Amino acid sequence: MIEVFRTNNPVELNFAENVLRQAGLEPIVLDSETAGAYAGALPFIKRRIMVIDEEAHQARSALKAAFDDLPDD
């Protein structure tokens, strides 16, 4: 599994998840419980979206097309 997206913003997280699903991928969100345990008061704990290794390039391309400010690999 490879991380392709990380955020504390629940709207961005949901949008990124939907972008990946529409691209035919199966994203997995990690750290939701940990990040939400303190109601987002700990900004260094972010929710992460992971995909299988073989889909990482496709996932990053889909996310770059959807988000203006994602860094290049």
Side-chain angles (χ1 to χ4, degrees), residues 1-2 11-12 19 21 24 28 30 33-34 37 52 54 66 72:
M1 299 295 290
I2 293 181
V11 174
E12 284 183 357
V19 165
R21 289 190 194 286
I28 297 173
L30 298 180
E33 290 79 22
T34 306
I52 61 173
E54 295 81 15
D72 290 329

Side-chain angles (χ1 to χ4, degrees), residues 13-54:
L13 182 74
N14 187 280
F15 180 68
E17 247 189 304
N18 285 322
V19 165
L20 294 174
R21 289 190 194 286
Q22 288 179 0
L25 307 172
E26 286 298 321
I28 297 173
V29 177
L30 298 180
D31 303 322
S32 291
E33 290 79 22
T34 306
Y38 296 99
L42 302 176
F44 53 86
I45 300 175
K46 297 186 178 196
R47 292 166 178 90
R48 300 177 291 154
I49 295 182
M50 311 288 281
V51 295
I52 61 173
D53 296 2
E54 295 81 15

Side-chain angles (χ1 to χ4, degrees), residues 49-71:
I49 295 182
M50 311 288 281
V51 295
I52 61 173
D53 296 2
E54 295 81 15
E55 295 177 345
H57 179 70
Q58 182 183 357
R60 287 185 179 123
S61 295
L63 289 170
K64 278 184 190 175
F67 287 89
D68 294 332
D69 58 352
L70 286 180

